[in-house]
Amino acid sequence: MASEKPFILDGGLGSLLFSRGAFVKGDPLWSARCLTSAESDGRRQLRQAHLDYLAAGAHIIRSNSYQMSIEHLRKCLPGLSQEEALEMMRDSVRIAREACRDYWQSIGGESSGKTEPKVAGSIGPYGACQADLSEYTGAYVDCMSEEDFIEWHRPRLMALLEAGVDYLAFETFPALLEANAILRLLHREAPHIPAWISFSCKDEKHVCHGETLASAFEQIWTNKTDGLKAVGINCTPGRLIKPLLRSLDADSNIPVILYPNREECLGKEDELILVYPKPDDKENWKEDDLGKLAKEWLATHPNIFAMGGCCFYHPSDIRNLSRVFGN
């Protein structure tokens, strides 16, 4: 087992904001809608969501920038300039940073004995900004090159770096090709920034585009930047995490980051539920307590950098996880 406790991540930011009425179902901007007005109630709701995760024990919270790109923002918000789009991305970091600062001050800072919280700039894959669920298939990958992805991601990366993130979180990547492009971009622009790359997975062995998770992890870690902290799995049903970890090479000691979806909360008409295979025995997959699941994951792969939740895991779940592994 790794000598240090895993960091605790926040949970699903978009699903929490949605549950609180911050935006409506089907909005192509998803939770980025909260940033569309400088004085909007959405920004206050976003800050409160961050604070709730911090109070629950999260050491690292992610910015509300997952589904933001210049093209997507300008398509959804006619009249928005390129610079205004980039400023919205920077604002997502500033709001998270403000929440960290206020929470840290509220508990007495270093005298609290707790870990000072950090901000990870969230960067979703190309598919996330198409608002067509292609981040769960990777269908677009076969029509693009690594250089295409590098040029598309670069403005987002630079905006978050300019805003002062502590980490970069490349999340829900469905394919190795796009992840390799991210590595090349990091080597060029920010080789020392702490970061992780996390994949969406479709079954017990494969990322959504079809590559084996074991081969994806090995390639990423072999070519990693100095700052890469972990490779991971997110936005994937919790029931798949343990078998996915088992699919890694037996001698693999790659540090991993894990934050699954709570599958039981997906409605029968939710499009996302169609992405994943149904469990063979649903009765045996009702366990969704992150603390209990995390113990199983650690027993399977002891080198875990961080754990948290993705869609439908909310502050109460992070609090349970923190009770088991937090500090």
Side-chain angles (χ1 to χ4, degrees), residues 149-167:
F149 285 124
I150 288 171
E151 292 309 310
W152 186 81
H153 280 289
R154 178 179 278 110
R156 315 167 75 206
L157 171 76
M158 300 310 293
L160 297 183
L161 288 174
E162 289 163 6
V165 294
D166 300 302
Y167 294 88

Side-chain angles (χ1 to χ4, degrees), residues 37-317:
S37 171
E39 302 299 330
S40 72
D41 186 55
R43 290 185 176 231
R44 289 187 288 274
Q45 288 178 293
L46 174 57
R47 179 178 175 277
Q48 186 60 52
H50 286 316
L51 285 169
D52 291 343
Y53 278 124
L54 291 166
H59 301 132
I60 303 172
I61 60 172
R62 287 161 287 154
S63 64
N64 188 33
S65 48
Y66 169 80
Q67 204 158 335
M68 288 191 193
S69 71
I70 294 171
E71 298 87 350
H72 187 51
L73 289 171
R74 297 186 71 186
K75 177 181 178 181
C76 296
L77 301 168
L80 193 75
S81 70
Q82 177 171 313
E83 179 55 33
E84 287 170 333
L86 292 170
E87 191 65 8
M88 283 181 64
M89 298 178 203
R90 298 182 193 109
D91 279 351
S92 72
V93 176
R94 293 174 184 133
I95 291 171
R97 177 70 68 200
E98 178 183 290
C100 284
R101 181 200 65 207
D102 291 351
Y103 172 74
W104 188 236
Q105 291 177 351
S106 75
I107 63 172
E110 292 183 2
S111 65
S112 68
K114 295 182 178 292
T115 300
E116 184 174 3
K118 304 296 184 183
V119 175
S122 174
I123 297 180
Y126 179 89
C129 294
Q130 310 314 302
D132 61 0
L133 294 178
S134 56
E135 66 264 49
Y136 303 105
T137 65
Y140 57 89
V141 172
D142 299 325
C143 302
M144 300 178 72
S145 68
E146 282 191 16
E147 206 60 40
D148 290 333
F149 285 124
I150 288 171
E151 292 309 310
W152 186 81
H153 280 289
R154 178 179 278 110
R156 315 167 75 206
L157 171 76
M158 300 310 293
L160 297 183
L161 288 174
E162 289 163 6
V165 294
D166 300 302
Y167 294 88
L168 286 171
F170 299 95
E171 311 180 286
T172 324
F173 276 58
L176 180 58
L177 180 74
E178 189 173 9
N180 279 334
I182 288 299
L183 270 185
R184 288 179 57 195
L185 178 59
L186 283 173
H187 276 292
R188 293 179 188 179
E189 303 290 353
H192 303 296
I193 185 78
W196 69 79
I197 298 175
S198 186
F199 292 92
S200 56
C201 296
K202 67 178 182 179
D203 57 31
E204 297 180 352
K205 291 185 177 181
H206 302 91
V207 302
C208 285
H209 185 252
E211 301 88 346
T212 65
L213 184 72
S215 65
F217 272 29
E218 188 63 33
Q219 285 197 45
I220 294 299
W221 198 246
T222 297
N223 299 302
K224 70 184 184 74
T225 61
D226 290 343
L228 196 71
K229 296 297 184 182
V231 191
I233 308 163
N234 79 289
C235 217
T236 296
R239 63 184 167 86
L240 295 180
I241 302 298
K242 186 175 178 179
L244 281 162
L245 291 175
R246 284 177 170 170
S247 77
L248 301 178
D249 294 338
D251 59 350
S252 173
N253 195 39
I254 295 171
V256 301
I257 188 165
L258 306 168
Y259 46 118
N261 289 342
R262 172 180 267 135
E263 190 175 22
E264 288 294 316
C265 289
L266 293 173
K268 292 182 178 180
E269 296 181 359
D270 196 306
E271 291 175 300
L272 187 54
I273 206 169
L274 303 177
V275 173
Y276 302 109
K278 294 180 180 180
D280 294 329
D281 183 358
K282 197 169 184 179
E283 288 301 313
N284 288 333
W285 290 107
K286 286 188 174 180
E287 181 58 70
D288 61 0
D289 183 288
L290 275 179
K292 292 180 180 179
L293 289 171
K295 289 180 180 179
E296 295 182 5
W297 302 338
L298 271 168
T300 305
H301 188 92
N303 194 3
I304 296 182
F305 170 71
M307 294 182 285
C310 203
C311 300
F312 303 105
Y313 277 112
H314 292 160
S316 61
D317 305 298

